[in-house]
Structure formats: structure tokens, C-alpha cells
Amino acid sequence: MGKFFDKIRQVFNLFLIMLLVAAVAAVFIYFLTTPEQRGTTFWISIGFIAAALVLSTLFASRIAMRGNSGRAVPGHFAQMFLAIAYFAFVIIIAVVNAFQNFSTVTYLLIHVAGLFVFMLPLILMNMAMLKQDNSERRQQEAGRVDLSIKANHVENILSDITALAPSLAVGDQLAKIKKLAESLRYSDPTPGPRALENALNNALNNLEDIAAGLTSPEDVNNKLPEILKAVTSAERALTDRNTAVLNAK
């Protein structure tokens, strides 16, 4: 929640800066023109400045609110650069108009051309990033299924131990195994760094190897300390993996 409000503040601060720039530009344009010049092109200037301000703020909000693993940062930076460049273009052309006093048709054509030049790459870039978003969603879905399968394996170990040694289910000795299964099932499905994902897989495989072949209460009693030690190792690997995923957002 803290990160969410930090992002809100970042967007709001950027909005305030751009609003200040837009207000100063509007004041300059107002005083650079005579009452007779404050006709259609003057209000076109004010309208395009407001639209550019809103557009830049929307892009800033999208960039700030969207979590990513770092792969989308270059695209976001390029989008934000183009949005701010368009904002600067609108202000510059409005100041130029105050001196040149373009005709309404010429001034509109300049703005339409500027909108095309800046918006076309923005739209194409957004389409490419949407494709990347779809790819990330597929990865998350695959990750969710993988974590669910791992959780099922841990729950199967718990069920086997409980079936062989029902008395253990009464105490807290098996609580760590149940907690590990729940942590796996409800972890963020976003893939973590490969090294940490491998460490988690190795820890879980080690747990399964230790718990394999349990056939009697004596087996459970003999292997339980080793099983719980393996569960602790898996919990640590899962915590490291989840922390890395969270920090990458």
C-alpha cells in the first residue's frame, strides 16, 4: 500500500510541475497578444495546452501504476519522453503564434501535423507494449499453475504423514508443512529471477526426496526432523523468491 501511495504522489507532483509550466505559458501567451489577437487561435492554443497536459498526466499515471519486471522500462521512458515532447511542442508553437499570428486554418494544420508526428509512434509503441503485457500475463498464468502444482505436492506429503501418524496432526509439528503449501499457493505468480526459481525448485525436490518412501509410523518419526529441516529451507527459498518479485515491481 505504501508503494501505491508513493506512485500516486509521483504522478501528482509531475502533474503539478506540468500544470505550473502550462499556467506560466498561458500567462505569457495572454500578455504577448493584444485583445484583438485573442481570437480563435488563442483559444486553440489554450485548448491544446490543456489536452497535452492531460495526455502527459495519463501516460505518467499508466507508467507509475503498472508493475513490471524492468523489461518495460525503456518503452515507458520513450512514451513519457514523447508525451512531454508533445507538451513542449504545443507550448512552443503557441508562443510562436503569439508573434506570427497564424491564420486559423494554418494554425490548426500545424497542430494536426504535430499531433500526428508525436501520437503515431506513441500508438505503435503502446501496441507493442500491449503485446508484451499479454506475454507477461501468459507467464503469470503458467507461474500460477506451477505454484499450485508445487503446493499440491507439499499437501500430498502432509497427507501421507498424517495418514501414517495421525497423532502428529493433533500438534503443531506439521503446521510448518501446511504453511509452506499455503505460501506456495498464494505467492505472486510472476516469475522471479532464474537463480531463485531454481533454488526453490531444488529445495522442494529435496523435500520430496526425503519424504518419499514413507511406509510406517517409524519412518515418519525417523524422517520428520529431516523433513522439517527441508521445509525450512524451502520456506527460505520461497521468501527470497517472493522478495525479489516484489522488489522488481
Side-chain angles (χ1 to χ4, degrees):
M1 187 63 71
K3 283 191 174 183
F4 174 79
F5 286 112
D6 285 342
K7 291 176 180 180
I8 291 290
R9 283 193 291 268
Q10 290 172 8
V11 174
F12 184 68
N13 289 337
L14 179 62
F15 172 76
L16 287 180
I17 292 171
M18 298 184 71
L19 180 62
L20 177 62
V21 173
V24 171
V27 170
F28 267 90
I29 295 168
Y30 181 84
F31 285 108
L32 286 173
T33 55
T34 62
E36 293 78 19
Q37 291 176 310
R38 293 177 201 138
T40 305
T41 57
F42 173 79
W43 293 110
I44 289 174
S45 296
I46 299 301
F48 271 98
I49 289 174
L53 173 64
V54 172
L55 178 69
S56 300
T57 303
L58 288 175
F59 271 100
S61 301
R62 180 179 181 274
I63 292 168
M65 295 303 169
R66 183 186 179 277
N68 62 82
S69 59
R71 289 175 294 179
V73 170
H76 284 161
F77 178 80
Q79 282 188 319
M80 198 65 226
F81 175 81
L82 284 171
I84 293 177
Y86 176 67
F87 180 68
F89 163 80
V90 169
I91 291 176
I92 291 170
I93 201 65
V95 173
V96 172
N97 177 63
F99 291 101
Q100 297 297 323
N101 196 21
F102 295 117
S103 68
T104 301
V105 174
T106 301
Y107 194 51
L108 272 176
L109 288 176
I110 291 173
H111 274 291
V112 169
L115 191 64
F116 177 80
V117 169
F118 286 100
M119 290 300 106
L120 181 61
L122 267 175
I123 293 170
L124 294 176
M125 206 175 299
N126 195 56
M127 290 171 62
M129 293 185 72
L130 284 175
K131 185 176 180 180
Q132 180 176 301
D133 287 345
N134 291 333
S135 175
E136 289 182 356
R137 277 194 290 271
R138 287 194 295 270
Q139 287 182 345
Q140 285 193 339
E141 185 59 34
R144 186 174 290 107
V145 171
D146 182 57
L147 288 171
S148 180
I149 291 173
K150 290 173 179 175
N152 288 338
H153 288 172
V154 175
E155 287 174 347
N156 289 338
I157 293 173
L158 178 62
S159 297
D160 292 343
I161 294 174
T162 303
L164 291 171
S167 60
L168 293 176
V170 178
D172 296 331
Q173 296 185 71
L174 304 184
K176 289 180 65 175
I177 304 177
K178 183 178 180 181
K179 180 182 176 183
L180 174 61
E182 291 176 348
S183 297
L184 284 166
R185 193 174 300 280
Y186 298 110
S187 289
D188 191 321
T190 304
R194 177 49 52 193
L196 296 180
E197 291 285 356
N198 289 338
L200 175 60
N201 290 336
N202 292 337
L204 292 172
N205 289 337
N206 181 52
L207 173 61
E208 289 191 58
D209 291 340
I210 295 172
L214 296 175
T215 58
S216 66
E218 289 75 17
D219 289 340
V220 174
N221 290 327
N222 291 334
K223 287 191 173 183
L224 186 59
E226 195 175 356
I227 290 173
L228 295 179
K229 184 178 179 181
V231 168
T232 299
S233 298
E235 284 179 335
R236 289 173 180 169
L238 180 61
T239 299
D240 291 342
R241 178 257 184 205
N242 289 345
T243 301
V245 170
L246 180 63
N247 289 339
K249 290 182 176 295

